[in-house]
Amino acid sequence: MIGGFFACFAAGPLFVILLVVMVQGLVFKEVIFLAAVPSKEKKLPWFRLMNWYFLFSTNYFFYGESLIHYFQHIVFVDAFLLPFAKHHRFISFTLYVIGFVFFVANLKKGHYRFQFSQFAWTHMTLLLVVCQSHFIINNIFEGLIWFFLPASLVIANDIWAYIFGFFMGRTPLIKLSPKKTVEGFVGGWLMTIVFGMLFATFLLKYPYMICPVKDLRASAFSGLTCDPNPVFIPVRQNLKPWMVSLIGHVGFRSTYVMIAPLQWHVIIMACFASLIAPFGGFFASGFKRAFKIKDFGQSIPGHGGITDRMDCQFLMGLFSYMYYQSFIKTSAVTAGLVLSQAIKLKGTEQMELFDHLKQYLIGQGLLDEESCIIMPPKEAWVS
């Protein structure tokens, strides 16, 4: 499994996205059928199909939003994709309404309570699973490091918490998970911070990790380059005299260190991965206790279902997106953003914009005056 994950990661962002979508589908399947009652299902036509239809319509909306946002420069110039991009939200709403009408039309006497409880269960699962995985996909588009680093922090915390809990654990942490201890919780937190700072230092050296996704066909061997976000660029940090004296005892004589802002941000992310993300696991534990089951499924032999392994990752992925958008992302005008606004202009205004842009590029020496000619409007062709 580990080898397969790294193979997907090296193959490119497209394969990482497909992996997330596959995991999302498996988690949805495990959770959605926990509350199903087989004897009642058999009496209801289209019961299972309706759950998958709502999953499809929700994915169409969320992933369509992501693709349109990050690939505006492609979808707004493609004659086939343009109508879908311009009317994406209305199409998504129409798909949902079709499912809603189909659900109401198939309400069956004697099964109302069961059908409405399943309708609510489906929407809760979509909110907790599909919505959060959508933000994980957005993290991938912003740069693979925003997917890989947060996921690694959760895994590292789980490992270190187990090690400290196994050797030093004495004090129970929470009743929902009797094996969790305070010692493991604290030890995992401290070691996750150390791991995060070291691992971030390693990852920020590779353009494949830090460059935003512009081409889904790219891979680890594509030789990607980009202008890095300032958060990845190390800056000089002068040390206090007592710090210089302290590190002098271990052989270091420098009066400054080079630290990238990412290494400070990763401390916050490591704290969340250690102190808050585990509550996603506690939530899942309470969930299983409510249904009196040991695992969500048997997808991974010896480890239960996919949900048992992903309970903390969804919460961490959502936090990473919110934190990145709030404190790290640099706002910039992109070609796709300008293009999405330009297509809203009238045809004559678009031609005027094109003419001005042409004259500017000619003046800058970036375009030959004879290489681009504005065609006359169609009315002139007829005359």
Side-chain angles (χ1 to χ4, degrees):
M1 288 180 62
I2 296 175
F5 172 77
F6 281 105
C8 286
F9 207 82
L14 176 61
F15 290 89
V16 180
I17 291 171
L18 292 177
L19 177 64
V20 173
V21 173
M22 181 186 71
V23 169
Q24 176 217 92
L26 292 173
V27 172
F28 179 83
K29 178 183 177 181
E30 290 177 355
V31 175
I32 199 67
F33 292 123
L34 277 182
V37 181
S39 60
K40 291 188 177 182
E41 285 183 37
K42 295 178 182 179
K43 300 178 183 179
L44 299 171
W46 314 110
F47 175 80
R48 290 178 179 267
L49 180 62
M50 201 174 304
N51 290 323
W52 291 107
Y53 176 82
F54 279 117
L55 176 64
F56 165 76
S57 60
T58 305
N59 276 334
Y60 180 86
F61 170 70
F62 279 125
Y63 295 147
E65 288 281 302
S66 296
L67 290 173
I68 292 171
H69 177 73
Y70 289 103
F71 295 95
Q72 293 172 332
H73 59 289
I74 296 176
V75 298
F76 285 116
V77 297
D78 188 285
F80 176 77
L81 296 176
L82 180 59
F84 292 97
K86 290 180 66 176
H87 308 297
H88 172 71
R89 294 184 178 181
F90 183 78
I91 294 172
S92 302
F93 174 74
T94 302
L95 289 173
Y96 178 81
V97 168
I98 290 172
F100 178 79
V101 171
F102 190 75
F103 166 77
V104 175
N106 280 275
L107 287 173
K108 191 173 181 180
K109 187 176 180 180
H111 297 273
Y112 293 151
R113 182 183 294 273
F114 172 74
Q115 287 180 289
F116 276 104
S117 66
Q118 290 298 307
F119 185 78
W121 186 265
T122 300
H123 283 68
M124 183 204 72
T125 307
L126 291 173
L127 176 65
L128 293 178
V129 177
V130 181
C131 182
Q132 293 190 82
S133 63
H134 158 69
F135 293 111
I136 294 176
I137 297 292
N138 284 356
N139 289 340
I140 295 173
F141 284 130
E142 295 290 353
L144 287 171
I145 191 172
W146 304 116
F147 165 77
F148 192 52
L149 181 59
S152 300
L153 291 174
V154 172
I155 296 171
N157 177 71
D158 197 36
I159 294 172
W160 283 110
Y162 174 80
I163 293 174
F164 276 85
F166 183 83
F167 289 103
M168 304 172 59
R170 297 291 184 274
T171 311
L173 177 66
I174 188 170
K175 292 182 179 180
L176 285 173
S177 295
K179 295 183 180 180
K180 304 291 185 181
T181 64
V182 173
E183 292 80 3
F185 193 71
V186 175
W189 169 41
L190 296 176
M191 291 306 300
T192 301
I193 293 176
V194 175
F195 167 82
M197 295 193 69
L198 295 176
F199 197 49
T201 305
F202 171 75
L203 292 179
L204 61 81
K205 298 177 181 179
Y206 298 96
Y208 179 66
M209 298 299 302
I210 66 176
C211 288
V213 175
K214 300 298 182 182
D215 184 359
L216 289 174
R217 297 170 296 180
S219 71
F221 313 101
S222 299
L224 293 178
T225 58
C226 64
D227 293 326
N229 187 310
V231 77
F232 300 121
I233 302 175
V235 294
R236 176 173 174 146
Q237 299 284 340
N238 293 320
L239 299 176
K240 301 292 185 181
W242 66 269
M243 295 180 181
V244 176
S245 175
L246 180 64
I247 64 175
H249 293 293
V250 292
F252 290 97
R253 303 301 179 190
S254 178
T255 59
Y256 69 92
V257 292
M258 300 297 292
I259 297 180
L262 174 65
Q263 293 170 281
W264 300 119
H265 289 295
V266 81
I267 295 177
I268 305 299
M269 300 177 75
C271 288
F272 187 92
S274 304
L275 305 179
I276 306 299
F279 281 84
F282 301 151
F283 176 86
S285 297
F287 208 79
K288 289 185 287 187
R289 287 177 180 272
F291 286 90
K292 299 179 181 179
I293 58 174
K294 183 178 183 296
D295 298 310
F296 281 95
Q298 300 300 323
S299 303
I300 308 176
H303 292 272
I306 296 293
T307 310
D308 296 280
R309 304 276 67 82
M310 297 299 297
D311 44 17
C312 300
Q313 293 288 3
F314 283 122
L315 188 60
M316 185 67 198
L318 177 58
F319 168 78
S320 301
Y321 174 82
M322 297 301 178
Y323 186 85
Y324 172 80
Q325 294 292 327
S326 298
F327 302 106
I328 299 175
K329 184 178 177 66
T330 55
S331 58
V333 178
T334 64
L337 180 61
V338 174
L339 186 60
S340 67
Q341 298 299 315
I343 64 171
K344 299 177 183 179
L345 300 174
K346 295 179 181 179
T348 55
E349 294 173 326
Q350 291 174 343
M351 299 300 288
E352 181 181 355
L353 175 62
F354 176 78
D355 186 48
H356 289 313
L357 182 59
K358 172 190 171 184
Q359 296 302 323
Y360 171 78
L361 293 175
I362 291 173
Q364 295 295 314
L366 300 174
L367 182 67
D368 183 72
E369 190 168 2
E370 301 298 328
S371 64
C372 194
I373 302 175
I374 297 179
M375 299 299 293
K378 293 182 178 180
E379 293 79 4
W381 297 355
V382 175
S383 60

